[in-house]
Amino acid sequence: MGSDFYRIEPLWGATDTWKTVNRNLECLIRRHGSKMDRAVALARDVQVRLESIFSLLDDLCAVTCPWCPDHCCLVAKVWIDFKDLLFLHLNGHEIPPAQLLSDFKETCSYLAPKGCMLPRIARPWVCTWYLCPTQKANFRQKPKSVQDKFTRTVQAIKTGRKDMESEFIRIVS
Ligand code: SF4
Ligand code: SF4
């Protein structure tokens, strides 16, 4: 859940901190111009892989979430981490107006009566890869080829996110 299980408050939960980190990231990316090309390409690659699993995730959600008695987002203590934010900036996506939570006592501010208000592509990675037990059971009914492809894609996304972050740090260090 998020990048640091032992955090006592969500990363960049305060509005000012959220604005500052986003402004700084935007400046850094702009300042380094074409030196960021490889990081941008890695972020695009992650995006393509993410988009390739959205229809499966939508299908799993369509047959489970609308009848869920125990919505996971009501209790999730997760946040947009550095790789999530970098991914959004490098791909030129609209940045959510605030972190998911400003305090661990809160519920995610993007949870609406009909589900998550954030487009899938802008959600933290943890919100994308998490399959609850009901969804896992449903997933295991899919053909093996579908399950294997999903597992491989999730692994490739994890690796791609790490590579994207390493490349960004290499350029700005
Ligand atoms: S992912 Fe699972 S726990 Fe979360 S809302 Fe859907 S069915 Fe419920
Ligand atoms: S961002 Fe969306 S999917 Fe993630 S916890 Fe919040 S409401 Fe749920």
Side-chain angles (χ1 to χ4, degrees), residues 15-33:
T15 311
D16 286 356
T17 323
W18 179 254
K19 283 187 181 158
T20 303
V21 72
N22 279 293
R23 203 168 42 237
N24 290 348
L25 254 182
E26 197 184 317
C27 286
L28 273 172
I29 291 169
R30 195 170 341 111
R31 190 189 312 155
H32 288 85

Side-chain angles (χ1 to χ4, degrees), residues 33-79:
S34 61
K35 287 190 193 147
M36 280 291 161
D37 285 356
R38 182 154 182 274
V40 169
L42 287 163
R44 295 249 158 90
D45 187 61
V46 168
Q47 171 157 317
V48 169
R49 290 180 197 277
L50 270 171
E51 285 168 345
S52 77
I53 57 173
F54 284 174
S55 63
L56 173 65
L57 294 170
D58 286 342
D59 288 351
L60 288 172
C61 185
V63 295
T64 54
C65 302
W67 299 275
C68 181
D70 196 13
H71 204 300
C72 52
C73 298
L74 279 171
V75 291
K77 301 303 171 199
V78 296
W79 54 88

Side-chain angles (χ1 to χ4, degrees), residues 73 76 78 100 108 110-111 116-118 123-124 127:
C73 298
V78 296
L100 274 55
C108 177
Y110 296 101
L111 180 61
C116 184
M117 289 189 289
L118 286 178
R123 294 177 199 169
C127 298

Side-chain angles (χ1 to χ4, degrees), residues 4 47 103 106 115 127 139 145 147 161:
D4 180 358
Q47 171 157 317
D103 188 292
E106 294 174 353
C127 298
F139 175 69
S145 58
Q147 294 186 41
R161 282 164 52 88

